[in-house]
Amino acid sequence: STPSSNEIRQAFLDFFASKGHEIVSSSSLVPHGDPTLLFTNAGMNQFKDVFLGFDKRPYTRATSSQKCVRAGGKHNDLENVGYTARHHTFFEMLGNFSFGDYFKEDAIKYAWELLTEVFKLPKDKLTVTVYAEDDEAYAIWNNIIGVPAERIIRIGDNKGARYASDNFWMMGDTGPCGPCTEIFYDHGAHHFGGPPGSPDEDGDRYIEIWNNVFMQFNRDEAGVMHPLPKPSVDTGMGLERISAVLQHVHANYEIDLFQTLIAAAARETKTADLSIPSLKVLADHIRACSFLIADGVIAGNEGRGYVLRRIIRRAIRHGYKLGVRSAFFHKIVPDLVAEMGDAYPELVSNQARITEILKQEEDRFFETIENGMAILESELASTKDVFNGETAFKLHDTYGFPLDLTADICRERNVAVDTDAFNAAMARQKEQARAAGKFKMTANLEYDGVATNFHGYDKLETSATVTALYKDG
Ligand code: ATP
Ligand code: MG
Ligand code: MG
Ligand code: MG
């Protein structure tokens, strides 16, 4: 039999504990005191100040399983969920950290030992990448570990290219960063996709499982790199991705934990066919929403609360698509708690609140979704390629359809949204409100709020442009 994801999480922590690492609990999804960050997006977040030399810990080696949400900010995977085999909004990042202790050679040796000796992965299924100029990392892989040259790929700095691999890791636009080396697992030639760096790298044959970052710089607002006090190590391996490998399945959604959640979503939506993509989205979103609420996020009209509301509404819309017409999503919470409550007791202690908030949000959106969908469908019926931005604004303003929800539905029909017209309609309404002397804190502020507070969360990510960026859109 194969190990469960709960066992794999523990095996990772135990391995690094045996190498002198302190086991540190996950920090909250809401990063306290870091305005540059929307949600915790990596294991290293809670150690940011340790890397920068501002904070000292009683240990120089740590390991954790960190709750992460990538649904906005620099790392945004919301639009990937349901489309790729490997992306979630919420996921767990297993990590080991060295604060000025070991560096490249030991980091690589540990990773290889865990993967090939403890987890017993066949070496020839592993391909690694190194930062293009990092001859040192290349030599460690090649000479010390013995990975043949054909499975070591040099990758440059591809910032900006959505799908291109990028071997220079940054937490955000500022903060600790450095070159990295990544480990990919080859799921076999029957899957589409080429090795990292190849034109087909965005397929899902080769799946990135582990990133080892050599933290060496602090990037400031002007983009200048300042060397850190001590070279350090930060690694991240997606628990769901390594579980897929160890459970001999391809997609994250096929692992034990997701199978349970998908079955629960099927039960609550009365869906017989477990392979329907909406069920995966629901299984993904129930985790993100529940964990965000457990960490204190409240659904609302701006900032973090609006991201939560948008995810909830996307989930509701998938239920709607499956024929559901009243609150159902919150009924999956007990299944999630049963699955993950042992590892994350905050789910247990907040179960009632999570359920209540989700139910409220559902009741509210179910009041308008039907009429909104009717309008959306009739507009779509007369749409060729680009959905009317005025209608998208009306859906937003009157029916509570966030722009990204409308865009998501349109994307399923290969239609983009005219976001310029959407923004113009919003600006016009703001202007009218101002002229009327009203202090109307309309939902219009939502986008502004997110955009100004969180660098990198740009409207593009929810816009028509995005549709064009997706090859599989
Ligand atoms: P990808 O290229 O697949 O989007 P990434 O390079 O953005 O991944 P990193 O920032 O390097 O990911 O994060 C470290 C690890 O966390 C990845 O190697 C992967 O195992 C895991 N991971 C990253 N994003 C996700 C996600 N959205 N869902 C699940 N696991 C993820
Ligand atoms: Mg990514
Ligand atoms: Mg990557
Ligand atoms: Mg990576």
Side-chain angles (χ1 to χ4, degrees):
S1 77
T2 58
S4 69
S5 39
N6 282 322
E7 286 165 347
I8 295 165
R9 182 194 303 108
Q10 197 56 49
F12 182 95
L13 297 173
D14 290 345
F15 175 80
F16 282 101
S18 81
K19 307 287 183 191
H21 292 61
E22 175 91 6
I23 299 179
V24 178
S25 306
S26 173
S27 64
S28 170
L29 284 168
V30 179
H32 292 292
D34 189 346
T36 70
L37 198 57
L38 182 61
F39 296 120
T40 297
N41 64 13
M44 57 72 62
N45 292 171
Q46 68 168 317
F47 303 115
K48 182 178 172 183
D49 282 346
V50 187
F51 287 120
L52 294 177
F54 300 146
D55 185 9
K56 275 237 160 6
R57 299 285 167 102
Y59 43 80
T60 57
R61 299 174 171 215
T63 182
S64 68
S65 175
Q66 174 68 49
K67 301 180 280 188
C68 294
V69 165
R70 293 189 173 185
K74 176 167 176 59
H75 298 272
N76 186 357
D77 290 322
L78 183 57
E79 308 301 332
N80 290 329
V81 171
Y83 290 89
T84 71
R86 69 185 195 276
H87 288 106
H88 305 299
T89 51
F90 170 94
F91 65 99
E92 290 177 77
M93 194 185 286
L94 304 168
N96 55 289
F97 308 90
S98 153
F99 309 116
D101 188 324
Y102 59 87
F103 201 43
K104 296 184 185 182
E105 182 170 333
D106 283 335
I108 290 174
K109 282 181 175 166
Y110 288 150
W112 196 251
E113 182 183 336
L114 179 63
L115 292 178
T116 64
E117 287 172 36
V118 180
F119 290 158
K120 302 209 167 13
L121 297 184
K123 294 177 181 164
D124 60 356
K125 297 233 167 152
L126 299 171
T127 291
V128 304
T129 62
V130 297
Y131 185 54
E133 289 142 45
D134 194 349
D135 295 333
E136 195 187 343
Y138 190 100
I140 295 167
W141 281 118
N142 198 199
N143 306 336
I144 299 177
I145 306 289
V147 175
E150 63 268 23
R151 288 207 308 280
I152 311 176
I153 301 169
R154 289 179 188 263
I155 304 265
D157 188 343
N158 294 316
K159 277 188 289 296
R162 187 166 193 102
Y163 273 117
S165 301
D166 182 342
N167 275 41
F168 194 90
W169 198 89
M170 303 196 284
M171 167 188 156
D173 292 332
T174 61
C177 54
C180 62
T181 179
E182 298 195 313
I183 304 169
F184 288 70
Y185 184 80
D186 178 2
H187 280 267
H190 52 297
H191 296 289
F192 169 78
S198 74
D200 289 333
E201 69 169 345
D202 58 320
D204 49 24
R205 171 176 170 183
Y206 293 85
I207 290 190
E208 176 188 328
I209 52 173
W210 201 349
N211 188 355
N212 277 239
V213 184
F214 307 122
M215 285 294 184
Q216 275 170 287
F217 306 102
N218 180 19
R219 189 175 196 269
D220 70 18
E221 262 139 48
V224 180
M225 305 282 192
H226 305 276
L228 291 179
K230 289 176 183 167
S232 296
V233 170
D234 149 39
T235 89
M237 173 156 66
L239 172 65
E240 300 78 2
R241 294 191 192 181
I242 185 65
S243 296
V245 171
L246 294 175
Q247 293 176 11
H248 310 303
V249 294
H250 176 232
N252 291 2
Y253 292 97
E254 297 171 72
I255 68 174
D256 52 351
L257 199 154
F258 270 102
Q259 287 299 300
T260 306
L261 296 177
I262 286 170
R267 182 190 70 223
E268 294 309 331
T269 57
K270 303 190 172 48
T271 306
D273 179 356
L274 290 179
S275 71
I276 288 183
S278 287
L279 297 177
K280 294 180 195 159
V281 179
L282 288 170
D284 174 86
H285 288 7
I286 193 63
R287 300 208 309 162
C289 296
S290 301
F291 275 96
L292 285 173
I293 295 169
D295 279 347
V297 180
I298 306 216
N301 280 337
E302 51 181 44
R304 297 183 173 114
Y306 193 51
V307 177
L308 171 60
R309 176 165 285 166
R310 291 195 288 116
I311 301 175
I312 296 173
R313 293 195 175 173
R314 287 168 83 119
I316 296 169
R317 201 279 302 189
H318 279 284
Y320 186 91
K321 193 178 171 188
L322 295 172
V324 186
R325 293 295 176 269
S326 61
F328 71 99
F329 191 47
H330 65 285
K331 295 181 189 159
I332 307 173
V333 172
D335 303 86
L336 174 66
V337 175
E339 201 64 36
M340 299 189 72
D342 282 345
Y344 296 98
E346 65 270 36
L347 282 181
V348 181
S349 56
N350 287 290
Q351 180 168 356
R353 217 168 52 82
I354 295 167
T355 308
E356 192 182 314
I357 291 181
L358 287 179
K359 169 110 182 6
Q360 271 170 21
E361 283 289 307
E362 290 191 84
D363 288 342
R364 190 165 163 182
F365 193 44
F366 269 113
E367 279 175 22
T368 58
I369 190 172
E370 187 139 22
N371 289 333
M373 284 304 293
I375 289 171
L376 199 152
E377 287 297 346
S378 86
E379 182 73 53
L380 268 177
S382 60
T383 297
K384 264 215 176 75
D385 307 312
V386 183
F387 191 88
N388 187 304
E390 298 272 344
T391 309
F393 180 68
K394 182 174 163 194
L395 285 168
H396 167 85
D397 200 42
T398 312
Y399 298 93
F401 280 46
L403 178 60
D404 71 296
L405 174 61
T406 299
D408 190 42
I409 301 168
C410 289
R411 180 180 172 193
E412 292 173 358
R413 319 279 181 90
N414 279 312
V415 165
V417 180
D418 183 351
T419 45
D420 287 344
F422 175 94
N423 289 330
M426 185 175 273
R428 202 162 53 240
Q429 197 215 47
K430 251 190 215 172
E431 190 44 51
Q432 282 163 1
R434 197 173 303 134
K438 286 184 211 151
F439 284 96
K440 202 175 154 221
M441 297 294 284
T442 62
N444 304 359
L445 294 176
E446 293 156 4
Y447 290 96
D448 297 350
V450 175
T452 44
N453 291 339
F454 305 105
H455 305 256
Y457 179 100
D458 59 18
K459 294 174 205 156
L460 283 181
E461 310 230 22
T462 59
S463 77
T465 326
V466 145
T467 315
L469 285 172
Y470 282 93
K471 296 172 192 168
D472 54 356

